[in-house]
Amino acid sequence: MSATNDKPAASKPKRRRGPIKKLLLTFCTFLFVVIFIEGLFSTVHFVHTFISKSKSPVAEHSHTDYDADLGWAPIKGLKVEDGYGPGVPIHINDQGFRADKEYTPKPADGKVRVVAIGDSFTFGHDVANDHTWPAYVEKLDPRFEVINVGLGGYGVDQIYLRHERDAKSFDRDFLVFAFIMEDFGRAQHDSFNGYGKPTLALENGELVVRNQPVPRRGYIRAWLNQNGYLLRESRTVHVTSQIWNKLTSASDAQVATTSGNESFKAVLKKMWSDMDKAERARGSRLILAFIPAQRDYGPFEATDHWRAFVKETAAELDVPFFDMVEAFRAVPAGQVPSHFVDPVTGETIYHRGNKGNQWLAEQFLQRLAPMVEPAAGGNPEGVRSWRFSDLPRRNGRTNRADVS
């Protein structure tokens, strides 16, 4: 009888981690912790940046609403007492103009009326109603009444279209078409910061409006479009974008419209020609005015290109051209920053502050005053009447003197 030896299987000896593996494990753990902390701090920084720097789709979002004709337009009758900060109100009258009063179809006797159409530099972004350049004109020379028909974000096409719809019916002596360099680029696209807008084109020699009614676009889409650059603060988005661009060889889809093409310039010439004819027919005068931003103090290729174009066009049409850029470059360099100071915070801003708008008003008056001369004799009631050196007498305005 043979005996069976039931011996337990021998257990395998435990493997001991070598010093290299221990060191590698420690390094990987440390690297993971560092990456986690770096990611945490990057996330906190990204969130803080987004909260502190994110902006409304357009700065005028608080006092404008969707408009099928223009893209956006002022909310009539709106009063925002601290619109641009404590004590800096935004008042829009019932006619849709930035004003604390309503306007009659004809100006009062003795008043020289100016209708000022433009963008945010005319509307007076960052300042109160009584510190816009149109308001300063009235304060500096009470002969003038200036209707402020400016609105932020508008291109030259929207400036024109809003005048034709909202301000054309108001009797006036001068129509000031004010613009900055960016207004020409805006007019060459059917959207601005995510908001839809109309455009102008020429068909058979006549102006036609396209992209109208303007599609209504959601606030979220516009907000993302305005703040998209902040997303690139995220390392994940930044790296992903670089990889995607390399894979697709993506190029910027938005072609710069610094100088504009010849067809667009033809639109501008037709637009201003039609306006000039209409103003002359009613006894008024069109004036083109180039408003300078701070970056225009020195030579700026895009601005100087458009200045040259406007100057040439104005000469062809025999329309006065107020080139405020040229005057701005004559301001002493040390005084320039004071033109762009937030009236509440004292910080540097893109738009003109109180002093900058007062300077603009002074420049306008230097150019407007010679076009308005006291008429000989006056009138029995002591109300001034005025002679317009190169304008025909307006029908129905007994307080105007005939041009001799």
Side-chain angles (χ1 to χ4, degrees):
M1 184 175 181
S2 60
T4 304
N5 295 327
D6 297 329
K7 294 181 180 180
S11 59
K12 296 181 179 179
K14 293 183 178 180
R15 294 182 179 178
R16 294 183 179 181
R17 292 189 178 96
I20 296 179
K21 290 185 177 180
K22 286 183 178 181
L23 184 62
L24 183 60
L25 179 61
T26 302
F27 175 77
C28 289
T29 303
F30 172 76
L31 185 62
F32 175 79
V33 172
V34 170
I35 293 174
F36 175 78
I37 295 175
E38 172 68 17
L40 179 63
F41 280 118
S42 293
T43 301
V44 172
H45 173 72
F46 172 69
V47 172
H48 175 267
T49 301
F50 224 95
I51 293 174
S52 62
K53 293 185 178 180
S54 61
K55 300 174 288 186
S56 296
V58 291
E60 273 65 25
H61 182 76
S62 64
H63 52 273
T64 65
D65 202 357
Y66 165 77
D67 187 286
D69 296 328
L70 303 170
W72 58 94
I75 300 173
K76 295 181 178 180
L78 181 71
K79 296 185 184 300
V80 186
E81 296 307 325
D82 297 323
Y84 289 127
V88 187
I90 302 172
H91 292 172
I92 298 173
N93 69 10
D94 292 337
Q95 296 161 321
F97 309 138
R98 189 167 189 190
D100 296 299
K101 66 177 184 179
E102 306 301 316
Y103 295 98
T104 57
K106 294 180 180 295
D109 285 352
K111 285 290 185 180
V112 179
R113 176 178 279 178
V114 178
V115 173
I117 59 177
D119 55 22
S120 55
F121 278 72
T122 296
F123 181 85
H125 190 277
D126 288 321
V127 300
N129 273 41
D130 60 350
H131 287 92
T132 65
W133 74 255
Y136 270 119
V137 168
E138 293 184 344
K139 287 191 288 187
L140 293 172
D141 192 335
R143 296 177 297 175
F144 289 90
E145 176 186 65
V146 187
I147 303 179
N148 187 337
V149 196
L151 191 62
Y154 272 10
V156 289
D157 49 357
Q158 291 164 292
I159 295 172
Y160 163 77
L161 291 171
R162 187 179 178 212
H163 167 261
E164 296 298 293
R165 190 190 73 176
D166 297 344
K168 194 172 184 177
S169 62
F170 289 88
D171 203 3
R172 80 290 297 270
D173 301 298
F174 299 100
L175 173 62
V176 175
F177 194 125
F179 44 82
I180 62 173
M181 183 274 291
E182 284 84 353
D183 297 348
F184 296 100
R186 294 169 184 171
Q188 297 178 67
H189 299 283
D190 62 5
S191 67
F192 173 69
N193 282 343
Y195 283 109
K197 57 174 290 296
T199 58
L200 292 175
L202 277 179
E203 288 185 5
N204 300 320
E206 298 297 327
L207 289 174
V208 294
V209 185
R210 293 176 177 171
N211 202 40
Q212 198 181 71
V214 177
R216 182 190 290 269
R217 298 186 179 181
Y219 178 88
I220 296 298
R221 176 179 175 181
W223 184 85
L224 287 173
N225 191 79
Q226 176 78 348
N227 295 287
Y229 75 100
L230 290 175
L231 290 174
R232 291 189 287 275
E233 295 275 341
S234 166
R235 297 290 185 270
T236 303
V237 173
H238 179 71
V239 173
T240 303
S241 297
Q242 286 187 324
I243 294 174
W244 175 258
N245 288 338
K246 287 182 179 180
L247 291 175
T248 60
S249 299
S251 58
D252 189 357
Q254 288 290 335
V255 178
T257 53
T258 300
S259 60
N261 55 41
E262 293 306 312
S263 61
F264 173 64
K265 290 178 179 177
V267 169
L268 295 177
K269 289 185 177 183
K270 175 62 175 175
M271 177 182 73
W272 285 328
S273 175
D274 287 354
M275 296 180 79
D276 177 51
K277 292 175 183 177
E279 293 307 303
R280 290 176 187 270
R282 67 191 300 171
S284 176
R285 195 71 192 271
L286 173 67
I287 296 171
L288 304 180
F290 209 123
I291 307 297
Q294 187 169 6
R295 53 104 213 284
D296 295 323
Y297 186 69
F300 192 72
E301 182 179 359
T303 294
D304 293 337
H305 171 90
W306 284 113
R307 286 175 62 214
F309 168 76
V310 176
K311 182 178 181 179
E312 177 185 343
T313 302
E316 291 176 2
L317 299 176
D318 191 24
V319 168
F321 174 39
F322 293 179
D323 186 0
M324 304 303 191
V325 177
E326 182 178 7
F328 181 52
R329 289 176 179 173
V331 173
Q335 298 179 15
V336 171
S338 65
H339 286 213
F340 302 89
V341 176
D342 189 292
V344 176
T345 67
E347 297 177 350
T348 300
I349 53 178
Y350 172 69
H351 293 88
R352 290 182 166 269
N354 295 344
K355 185 174 180 179
N357 283 322
Q358 181 175 343
W359 177 87
L360 266 182
E362 293 168 352
Q363 295 299 314
F364 271 107
L365 285 172
Q366 286 179 21
R367 293 159 176 78
L368 279 173
M371 301 174 71
V372 181
E373 301 173 357
N379 59 49
E381 294 78 20
V383 177
R384 284 187 182 273
S385 56
W386 301 95
R387 183 190 309 276
F388 294 78
S389 58
D390 55 356
L391 301 179
R393 183 174 180 175
R394 175 178 305 154
N395 294 331
R397 293 287 297 280
T398 57
N399 67 311
R400 306 292 178 191
D402 288 326
V403 176
S404 57

